[in-house]
Amino acid sequence: MFYTVEILGTIAFTISGVLVAMKMRMDLFGILIIAFVTSVGGGTLRDLLIGNSPVFWMVDMMYTYVILVSALFAIIFRNKLNYLRTSLFLFDTIGIGLFTVIGIEKGLSIELHPFICIALGTMTASFGGVIRDILCNEIPIIFRKEIYATACILGGVVYFILREFPIDDNWVFIISGLVVILARLLAVKFKIALPTVYSNTLD
Amino acid sequence: MFYTVEILGTIAFTISGVLVAMKMRMDLFGILIIAFVTSVGGGTLRDLLIGNSPVFWMVDMMYTYVILVSALFAIIFRNKLNYLRTSLFLFDTIGIGLFTVIGIEKGLSIELHPFICIALGTMTASFGGVIRDILCNEIPIIFRKEIYATACILGGVVYFILREFPIDDNWVFIISGLVVILARLLAVKFKIALPTVYSNTLD
Amino acid sequence: MFYTVEILGTIAFTISGVLVAMKMRMDLFGILIIAFVTSVGGGTLRDLLIGNSPVFWMVDMMYTYVILVSALFAIIFRNKLNYLRTSLFLFDTIGIGLFTVIGIEKGLSIELHPFICIALGTMTASFGGVIRDILCNEIPIIFRKEIYATACILGGVVYFILREFPIDDNWVFIISGLVVILARLLAVKFKIALPTVYSNTLD
């Protein structure tokens, strides 16, 4: 079941990459690359930092196939994607929830500190979008007005709180993933954002 | 012989880095760094992703020496480089062909899927230019109007087709490298580019 | 004692990250991330390139704690940081000196060539600032007008010269770190910069 959810998340991330790349008027190759890095960038950074090589998408071809097919789908039906807007947002949010918990568990499996595990989870879920924005020469949106990463961190905290209780591991996984999803949905619905901080006394 | 070709490719990549960095009016140190990353960036990403560490240029000093000497050469003779324009383009194209096949074979040596090997080859040949453009704060040119990477992919496909036939490994190496070179030369000569894709219905 | 110096350097790098991120009007999360990458980015690149994983800040929680506390401090007292300007510059400079020598010794411990060790030291000291500038969508300042990296390289050269003499290892460490610090202080005081190179004949 988790594998199915991971495919949905991969599809959503891929399509979000295609959309940004098309807006930048990239060529077909550029679009595919941006789709790919948006989709696997977070997990790749995670694998590099913990020394898991070759990185995950090099040894499981599922990712490559899913990304190619869904990127081509998005390019062909680019004028119809508006109808899928809500589904895509949901897939994307579900993907974030899942990727966060996957990242946390990868960190736990090599006995890293909970803080570091949460950081790994947040990276897995959000770094693909950061690379996408850097390659498209924009300040990553995540640094400016998104509750995105905050939702991942919240889910991560819940994950480690739940582990203190005698709860089945699968439930810990599912509940904390749902917390990420719910936090993001509520934040978007009620337009919650972190405050920006600005200092006038420094030039 | 391959080693000689690799040196030519390294020289061409280095000088292309120097030229871009000088256009950005960087200082001497900035120019050397951009020259270095343009030259070894692709192979470094490849080595990181497959877990080959320390990365290649840390254990074979040839790269460092060739880069330093050719970067200084390019800086000193910066007003005469126009005369070398055709040679540089040829070296660059030969470098791409060679680096693509080297990347593919590194992937094969750890038994990765052909698609992934082709991706590694393409990265080896093209990612240096991507980092160069990111460091110079431009949208990587490769995503916008280059047949560059497409030539690498084409050569990679030929590589794996040839391997199905009873052909000597060296010839597979040489022929697929030449395919990359030829595809790029023809694309530049006839101004072939991938189509860009743009959707008007999405904001 | 070195550990204390490392903490001072980490604090200075963190605060420099916070200041840049606040100027870009990032949100709280963005500020923390920029602070983090500014602080540990250089050492992370070094660890990735030499294959030291999990990277250093994942296995020693000191860095995370120091960064979190000093970033929050900088955010809260953002309107008072002017009073600390000289101290911060000093901490930053000391951090560069220390991080350079740490990077060199990491390279030596796996028997890399002196040139590569010096490159590792320079990266450790300066790459955090490069990532900070890329994430903030600016051409890294280090490529344009800083003697920063040149000071690291100078210290590195002194390191390897001193090693030829019968001097205690600790003194080699301290003296070459001081050379970096002194070179930077003198360069800033006398506004020394590397020349930029520009060619008019190339378009």
Side-chain angles (χ1 to χ4, degrees), chain A residues 48-49 51 112-113 115-116 120 134 137 139-140 143 146 149 153 194-199 201-203, chain C residues 19 22-29 31 33 44 48 53-55 57-58 61 65 78-79 82 85 135 137:
Chain A
L48 290 179
L49 292 175
L112 297 175
H113 187 284
F115 280 14
I116 302 296
L120 280 174
I134 293 175
N137 203 11
I139 296 184
F143 297 153
E146 274 283 352
I153 294 169
L194 288 182
T196 56
V197 181
Y198 186 72
S199 159
T201 60
L202 288 156
D203 49 296
Chain C
L19 293 180
M22 285 198 303
K23 248 190 266 179
M24 310 298 292
R25 298 183 172 270
M26 290 188 177
D27 68 17
L28 268 175
F29 177 77
I31 294 172
I33 292 292
T44 301
L48 290 179
S53 66
V55 297
W57 52 269
M58 290 197 160
M61 290 305 292
Y65 296 139
R78 63 187 174 280
N79 295 323
N82 262 328
R85 195 163 276 209
L135 289 177
N137 204 11

Side-chain angles (χ1 to χ4, degrees), chain A residues 107-146:
Chain A
L108 270 178
S109 71
I110 55 168
E111 299 180 353
L112 297 175
H113 187 284
F115 280 14
I116 302 296
C117 295
I118 293 175
L120 280 174
T122 306
M123 269 179 223
T124 309
S126 64
F127 198 74
V130 172
I131 310 184
R132 180 196 61 208
D133 292 342
I134 293 175
L135 288 178
C136 294
N137 203 11
E138 304 200 353
I139 296 184
I141 195 170
I142 198 176
F143 297 153
R144 285 176 296 136
K145 58 173 186 188
E146 274 283 352

